[in-house]
Amino acid sequence: MNKTKLTAFVSALALCFSLTACGDKEESSSKGEVTPSNETSSAVEFKTTTDGSARVRVNGSDFEVNGKKLWINGANAPWINWNDFGGSFSFMEWNDHFKALHDSGINCARVWISCNGEVGMEIDDDGSFKGATEQHWKDLAELFSIAEANQVYIMATVQSFDHYKDDENVDDSQEKFSAWRKLIQDDAKTDSYINNYIVPLVKTFGGSDYFFSVDLCNEPDWVFENSECGNIDWEHLSAYYAKAAAAIHANSDVLVTVGLGMPKYNSDSKQGNKISDGYLKSFIEDGSGYNKDMAFVDFNSTHWYPWEENSGLGNPFKQTPEEFGLDTDKPAVIGECPGTPQNIALADEYQAAYDLGYDGVLAWKTSGQNDGNGLIDDIAPATKQMKEAHEEEIFPNGYNAA
């Protein structure tokens, strides 16, 4: 193990014993933005081992690290045990898994840091949001230290359609879906969520180069389309994305995206891009405390499964981002796809995405239960092959072998 990786690993282990609560911290924004005044801080003080040299930035339609192109050779590692952060998180399990990701050539993991909002989040039945639990923050501190030790960027997914879903398998007394529906449809409560969670999240951990991005919601398409998720209008959903993106950009260098389930809601040429710059900016009012110019996503992260091609929605492994209907002025990644595709090797799909001009792929999934789309042993051959073929773009600063 080289010295840099050893230092980061020791720092991660130390977090298990030395995380302490902190008081109000100095404002980290240097962009002159004013956010609503009810902002709180997180319950931990996180010290990064990074120095800015591994920070991911956007240059036109590319990702860059230290002035060199980055390609996301990624995978979804959404949970090991559902609702890990603030709940069932295990340092050793996550550390072992991220080491396995690194050894597989994976440079980015999409992690659901809140699976359905029932663990780690302090939300009242009326949708009033108070913050995250201290344990949630402590678990995240360990996650980011593990990420730094293993050269794995984190795409942190903070919500899913599961937050809004009436789950018949969950005891009614434990469900919070009604509270999340009330929150997202109330401007003041949405603001409280942004200021009591999203802003502390990026202020606390945004100094880590390996905090790549915030994914504001996993597949909100179903929140809009499905009655079991509330059939909530895009106006409410996109207003949250607009304000949260503005707040993230005002307070950090962390990138922003939304993991849309279908290209039809991510394309002006289909049913309207619900996260386009113009659409998001339309929700920012003067005097709201949010900067309209900062209300945008940095890159597109559309999900794809074979049924979409059969439904006439296209196939990103056969079409360029432009042909698939995406905004070509920004990077585009395939944020989910089957880890066990039919009639083609996953490595061939990763390579096809690279050749067609996508900026990365994150197959579903390396951890958790096997839902039929495979696990790390199914995905690793593809990511290892890509790492061997394109190592300079996947690890622009060099690959720290164990």
Side-chain angles (χ1 to χ4, degrees):
M1 181 180 292
N2 67 32
K3 184 177 180 181
T4 300
K5 192 170 180 181
L6 177 61
T7 299
F9 179 72
V10 171
S11 176
L13 286 175
L15 274 167
C16 291
F17 307 102
S18 64
L19 287 170
T20 57
C22 64
D24 293 338
K25 295 199 290 287
E26 182 180 352
E27 293 291 321
S28 63
S29 173
S30 60
K31 302 180 177 66
E33 173 65 0
V34 178
T35 53
S37 60
N38 64 340
E39 178 192 323
T40 62
S41 62
S42 76
V44 303
E45 184 176 4
F46 175 77
K47 293 184 179 179
T48 182
T49 62
T50 61
D51 61 5
S53 61
R55 170 70 60 190
V56 181
R57 303 187 188 280
V58 171
N59 183 3
S61 60
D62 293 328
F63 294 123
E64 287 188 350
V65 169
N66 221 6
K68 295 172 283 189
K69 184 176 178 179
L70 171 73
W71 199 81
I72 300 297
N73 193 37
N76 281 264
W79 57 81
I80 291 178
N81 301 292
W82 183 259
N83 279 323
D84 294 77
F85 303 97
S88 52
F89 178 82
S90 164
F91 174 86
M92 294 307 299
E93 286 183 325
W94 279 93
N95 188 63
D96 288 348
H97 191 67
F98 266 55
K99 182 181 184 302
L101 297 180
H102 178 267
D103 291 346
S104 301
I106 290 169
N107 65 358
C108 181
R110 179 171 176 257
V111 180
W112 292 24
I113 62 174
S114 178
C115 288
N116 65 357
E118 292 177 1
V119 173
M121 302 288 104
E122 297 181 332
I123 182 171
D124 291 338
D125 290 344
D126 67 354
S128 298
F129 190 86
K130 297 178 179 178
T133 64
E134 182 175 355
Q135 191 61 51
H136 179 81
W137 294 122
K138 288 182 176 181
D139 293 345
L140 287 181
E142 293 188 355
L143 174 72
F144 280 102
S145 288
I146 291 168
E148 291 181 4
N150 289 284
Q151 289 184 289
V152 177
Y153 289 107
I154 298 290
M155 181 192 293
T157 301
V158 297
Q159 283 191 18
S160 172
F161 65 83
D162 300 89
H163 284 62
Y164 306 93
K165 184 178 178 181
D166 183 358
D167 189 344
E168 62 183 14
N169 297 316
V170 177
D171 185 278
D172 288 345
S173 65
Q174 301 297 317
E175 287 190 296
K176 289 290 185 180
F177 73 90
S178 180
W180 287 101
R181 292 181 190 179
K182 292 172 183 175
L183 180 151
I184 205 69
Q185 296 179 86
D186 184 301
D187 288 340
K189 290 172 181 175
T190 298
D191 288 343
S192 181
Y193 170 70
I194 291 168
N195 287 286
N196 293 336
Y197 183 63
I198 300 296
V199 172
L201 174 69
V202 297
K203 278 194 168 186
T204 301
F205 304 111
S208 173
D209 291 356
Y210 285 91
F211 194 170
F212 161 52
S213 61
V214 174
D215 177 356
L216 291 170
C217 190
N218 170 65
E219 300 187 355
D221 321 53
W222 311 122
V223 183
F224 171 71
E225 289 199 358
N226 291 354
S227 59
E228 65 181 3
C229 296
N231 289 132
I232 296 171
D233 290 341
W234 278 110
E235 286 77 5
H236 295 299
L237 301 172
S238 294
Y240 153 54
Y241 309 143
K243 293 189 286 187
I248 291 168
H249 289 136
N251 289 285
S252 74
D253 292 320
V254 178
L255 304 181
V256 183
T257 193
V258 179
L260 288 165
M262 295 175 279
K264 68 180 181 180
Y265 296 122
N266 201 178
S267 173
D268 288 330
S269 65
K270 294 186 172 73
Q271 294 192 22
N273 188 350
K274 303 307 181 184
I275 57 170
S276 71
D277 290 0
Y279 192 63
L280 294 184
K281 292 179 191 303
S282 71
F283 293 102
I284 305 299
E285 299 179 356
D286 292 340
S288 65
Y290 299 99
N291 187 330
K292 180 179 293 189
D293 292 337
M294 295 183 179
F296 60 90
V297 299
D298 295 279
F299 64 98
N300 291 305
S301 178
T302 301
H303 301 175
W304 183 84
Y305 288 88
W307 66 265
E308 298 183 45
E309 182 176 20
N310 298 334
S311 300
L313 296 175
N315 184 334
F317 297 109
K318 298 178 181 178
Q319 299 172 292
T320 65
E322 182 176 14
E323 292 168 340
F324 196 53
L326 301 178
D327 178 2
T328 57
D329 293 333
K330 298 179 179 183
V333 302
I334 302 168
E336 279 189 27
C337 65
T340 53
Q342 297 179 350
N343 305 318
I344 187 173
L346 183 62
D348 291 339
E349 289 196 324
Y350 270 64
Q351 185 61 51
Y354 178 92
D355 293 339
L356 287 165
Y358 292 89
D359 296 277
V361 179
L362 298 96
W364 182 268
K365 62 185 176 52
T366 60
S367 60
Q369 78 285 2
N370 192 339
D371 57 7
N373 289 304
L375 288 170
I376 189 167
D377 289 344
D378 301 286
I379 295 172
T383 54
K384 286 179 179 179
Q385 184 171 316
M386 289 297 292
K387 185 255 184 183
E388 290 302 312
H390 308 288
E391 183 171 327
E392 290 186 358
E393 292 182 28
I394 292 170
F395 293 97
N397 287 345
Y399 178 73
N400 296 333

